[in-house]
Amino acid sequence: MCVHASGRGGRSIASWHEPTRRLLAATLIGGGYGGTTSALNDLSSAYGDLGAALAGTQVQFVLRVISTMTGAGWAWAALAVAVGWYLGTRHWGAAAGALALTAATATYYALDESLRAEPVLDSDIWIWCVAGLLLGMPLGTVGAYARRAGPLGLLAALTVPAGAAVQMVVLPPGVDGVQVAAEAIWARWLVWLISAICSLWLIAHYRRARPAHRAADIAADQSYA
């Protein structure tokens, strides 16, 4: 005999199922990002357990460029914005951003302990987890608003590429503290190039999609309600 959820209770359960599944996915994505960033740091270091075998190779040079990009603040902010966009509404987006950054931080430090013998309890993990919770909520909300048409949606969508470009000027990344290292210079130019391409694409996309999305904006906050 099959029992089907019906009425208000059935609708309530169904309305929670999809965002709960997406929140779990956002948490897993965050954990994957944190683990990947930690592994890239080790692979890009000639003194890392994994990177020692790649010391002096072009592969490690490329990995160091990528590591410089993924470890930057704008990239972690982009993670929260992306999962907020994935959830789609401001409340669920805020929760997704906080969960993703917290999971990324926890996984990053946990893998650091394994790869570089850096005790988690002696690290800044608690400070960064709290920061992830506090910063992840507004960043996730920005991601949710990026789904919308019009100036507000475009402004939200441009947050990541604009923030990335600004950070390369105000707080440029370095390699082992050296901002003029070749890998750091490559990373900065790549970020500027990618930011410019993404910004131009987003502006063109929002101009084309604005009429089609106008009706969707009305129901945006009612989904998952």
Side-chain angles (χ1 to χ4, degrees):
M1 179 175 64
C2 296
V3 179
H4 298 281
S6 60
R8 183 177 299 177
R11 288 194 297 271
S12 178
I13 294 173
S15 67
W16 279 85
H17 178 268
E18 178 61 16
T20 301
R21 182 185 69 80
R22 292 195 177 199
L23 281 176
L24 177 59
T27 305
L28 293 175
I29 291 170
Y33 184 86
T36 300
T37 303
S38 177
L40 279 171
N41 288 344
D42 195 77
L43 283 166
S44 62
S45 172
Y47 304 101
D49 290 344
L50 302 176
L54 300 174
T57 65
Q58 285 297 112
V59 172
Q60 190 166 80
F61 181 92
V62 172
L63 290 174
R64 194 172 289 124
V65 172
I66 298 173
S67 176
T68 302
M69 295 170 64
T70 58
W74 71 265
W76 286 69
L79 168 65
V81 172
V83 296
W85 180 90
Y86 178 56
L87 265 292
T89 61
R90 63 180 185 270
H91 297 107
W92 290 114
L99 285 173
L101 283 184
T102 304
T105 302
T107 307
Y108 177 88
Y109 278 100
L111 194 56
D112 265 11
E113 181 177 37
S114 174
L115 293 175
R116 286 179 283 284
E118 298 178 1
V120 171
L121 296 180
D122 294 338
S123 66
D124 296 331
I125 183 173
W126 308 115
I127 296 175
W128 287 111
C129 278
V130 172
L133 284 171
L134 296 178
L135 297 176
M137 289 187 285
L139 289 169
T141 303
V142 168
Y145 274 106
R147 281 180 171 266
R148 300 194 173 198
L152 182 60
L154 178 58
L155 181 63
L158 289 173
T159 299
V160 171
V166 169
Q167 184 184 349
M168 295 303 102
V169 177
V170 177
L171 193 63
V175 176
D176 296 328
V178 181
Q179 294 180 348
V180 294
E183 299 91 335
I185 295 173
W186 270 96
R188 287 199 292 275
W189 280 105
L190 282 173
V191 169
W192 279 324
L193 177 61
I194 295 171
S195 296
I197 292 173
C198 288
S199 297
L200 292 173
W201 183 87
L202 285 168
I203 292 170
H205 171 75
Y206 272 82
R207 289 186 64 181
R208 291 195 307 267
R210 185 176 180 179
H213 287 172
R214 189 170 294 149
D217 284 351
I218 299 174
D221 287 330
Q222 298 176 358
S223 60
Y224 308 146

